[in-house]
Amino acid sequence: MNMIPFNKPYMTGKELWNIAQAHAKGHLAGDGGFTKQCHRWLEQHTGCDKALLTHSCTAGLEMAALLADLQPGDEVIMPSFTFVSTANAFALRGAVPVFVDVRPDTLNLDERLVEAAITPKTRAIVPVHYAGVPCEMDALMDIARRHGLLVIEDAAQGLGSSYKGRALGAIGDLAALSFHETKNIIAGEGGALLVNNERFAERAEIIREKGTNRSQFFRGQVDKYTWVDIGSSYLPSELIAAFLLAQFDEVRDITQRRLAIWKNYHEAFAGLEAAGTLRRPIVPAHCEHNAHMYYLLLPGLAERTQLIEQMKARSVQAVFHYIPLHSAPAGRRYGRVGSASGELPVTSDISDRLVRLPLWLGLEERQAEVIDAVLQCS
Ligand SMILES: *Cc1c(COP(=O)(O)O)cnc(C)c1O
């Protein structure tokens, strides 16, 4: 039997048609008609003030770090249990990632531990919506307001999720989304910066356009365009936007199908959880998630290693992540742990025990094999 892969990019079938239209129009650089439609779609569907497509979520986070005007030595509070880009984008500006532990239930930044990590050098909090399950945004926004800090959402996994009815990415001052092929909505490589604080709207366009006021020039707001600020090239080609728009058109259907697969897993493993063999994901009642990921927490590292091996023998690819950033070589060099004990016990514990199961559109036909493999091997 051939292997059930961990991920398989889903294509709607309309992508090539859109790309052919971009090709026919002859506008291949960024910010053409397809990019504008993607911006409008994101603004309408998330309620963010302004959306700007980028090459990746990483690029969106780098833009956020530039907009925050971070200076060397400034501190940014974030989880250690996350993808490297969350920290790297800020380390690139010379800022110090300050790692705080995650909640044992959602594995999201523990808002109850954030205030203890704030120092006079703290400038921003970066909540990561792990598995597309929202962080406790009311509490985080309140802490940020009281201490004069920015909130920059790493919503790489969060498109289609909401916190108390508000879309992820539309809550913090700034947010970054990912359209990498491992996410729910894809463009191969791609992302977006969402701006919710109008103070950043104009400068975000400038930073994205190599530090020029080109966007204002095209709107007729200035009569020549020139170098006005630092910046880089963060805008993707129209070919990427054309592909992405085809995906946006089907987001509702894609999310519903992913949720059905997620629920199948969740029901299938209820018995193992009741027996104390493993723990299933927890989604708070006030949150709607997008079924970005299905994971299981096993009793320990040995059990996880064994499960992944036994599943592989049954032709199912299961994987784990993340190596906590505070224990990684670059995390030690550029960041620090923001707890009095110098440790992040929940992060260290769960990162050894977490296993992710395949979750992609088309898995429906063979999901029973994945479920069987877990049941047989647990
Ligand atoms: C995928 C991911 C990123 C990076 O996204 P890219 O689009 O590949 O740059 C950043 N943060 C988190 C939490 C992610 O899951």
Side-chain angles (χ1 to χ4, degrees):
M1 203 57 174
N2 53 357
M3 198 79 179
I4 299 179
F6 171 68
N7 183 56
K8 196 168 168 186
Y10 173 73
M11 279 163 269
T12 68
K14 252 191 73 187
E15 289 85 354
L16 286 178
W17 166 250
N18 280 6
I19 288 172
Q21 282 187 286
H23 181 275
K25 276 187 204 140
H27 179 144
L28 301 181
D31 280 343
F34 281 106
T35 303
K36 289 197 178 98
Q37 285 186 75
C38 286
H39 289 173
R40 213 171 308 130
W41 190 96
L42 283 167
E43 287 158 5
Q44 284 171 356
H45 286 78
T46 67
C48 74
D49 285 352
K50 186 182 189 64
L52 293 168
L53 291 192
T54 57
H55 298 302
S56 61
C57 177
T58 304
L61 291 167
E62 287 180 18
M63 285 181 68
L66 284 163
L67 286 165
D69 244 333
L70 295 176
Q71 303 301 315
D74 283 352
E75 296 180 350
V76 180
I77 291 173
M78 64 182 67
S80 166
F81 188 68
T82 181
F83 186 64
V84 290
S85 296
T86 315
N88 216 348
F90 299 95
L92 267 175
R93 312 302 328 145
V96 179
V98 173
F99 300 114
V100 167
D101 216 350
V102 291
R103 296 176 57 104
D105 53 1
T106 57
L107 316 187
N108 277 330
L109 182 66
D110 193 333
E111 70 285 354
R112 299 161 296 194
L113 305 176
V114 166
E115 263 184 302
I118 294 174
T119 75
K121 293 195 156 186
T122 308
R123 297 286 173 265
I125 304 171
V126 184
V128 178
H129 305 294
Y130 180 67
V133 175
C135 295
E136 281 307 322
M137 292 307 291
D138 279 350
L140 290 167
M141 295 302 287
D142 180 58
I143 293 167
R145 209 172 299 120
R146 282 190 284 107
H147 293 269
L149 309 176
L150 292 174
V151 173
I152 300 167
E153 293 175 71
D154 181 339
Q157 305 176 9
L159 185 64
S161 297
S162 61
Y163 171 80
K164 297 184 181 175
R166 292 158 74 198
L168 298 188
I171 304 171
D173 297 278
L174 297 161
L177 305 179
S178 175
F179 308 119
H180 185 264
E181 75 167 28
T182 51
K183 304 303 199 281
N184 288 22
I185 299 297
I186 62 173
E189 301 276 357
L193 176 77
L194 306 187
V195 181
N196 302 305
N197 182 333
E198 64 175 348
R199 153 158 95 92
F200 298 118
E202 188 181 320
R203 192 163 179 234
E205 285 183 343
I206 290 168
I207 284 173
R208 180 168 167 271
E209 269 283 19
K210 302 98 184 163
T212 72
N213 55 358
R214 186 176 178 161
S215 302
Q216 291 164 307
F217 175 71
F218 282 133
R219 285 197 298 265
Q221 292 166 336
V222 292
D223 59 7
K224 56 182 180 297
Y225 96 80
T226 183
W227 185 22
V228 295
D229 201 341
I230 58 166
S232 187
S233 179
Y234 288 116
L235 68 168
S237 144
E238 275 286 283
L239 301 177
I240 296 286
F243 188 106
L244 185 59
L245 190 67
Q247 295 260 321
F248 281 167
D249 285 341
E250 293 201 14
V251 69
R252 200 181 299 257
D253 188 46
I254 290 171
T255 307
Q256 287 311 314
R257 284 178 66 187
R258 292 187 73 99
L259 279 166
I261 296 169
W262 193 99
K263 283 177 185 149
N264 277 342
Y265 278 142
H266 210 56
E267 282 162 21
F269 304 135
L272 290 176
E273 186 177 74
T277 309
L278 50 76
R279 205 210 85 187
R280 299 176 302 161
I282 294 171
V283 181
H286 54 276
C287 297
E288 286 200 39
H289 74 112
N290 60 1
H292 173 60
M293 190 191 299
Y294 199 87
Y295 66 82
L296 296 169
L297 282 173
L298 300 177
L301 179 60
E303 288 85 350
R304 177 177 76 181
T305 306
Q306 193 180 20
L307 179 66
I308 290 174
E309 272 170 20
Q310 290 178 346
M311 290 188 67
K312 191 171 159 201
R314 288 170 176 268
S315 300
V316 180
Q317 190 187 20
V319 302
F320 67 85
H321 72 177
Y322 300 102
I323 309 290
L325 297 184
H326 76 282
S327 64
R332 287 173 197 254
R333 195 175 324 141
Y334 297 112
R336 69 173 177 81
V337 171
S339 69
S341 67
E343 285 172 37
L344 305 175
V346 180
T347 298
S348 303
D349 174 45
I350 53 113
S351 63
D352 274 348
R353 302 196 286 121
L354 186 140
V355 59
R356 303 174 64 187
L357 303 183
L359 205 176
W360 39 270
L361 297 201
L363 177 68
E364 292 94 330
E365 289 169 26
R366 297 188 65 187
Q367 191 181 8
E369 292 172 53
V370 183
I371 291 172
D372 268 355
V374 174
L375 295 176
Q376 299 298 319
C377 299
S378 296

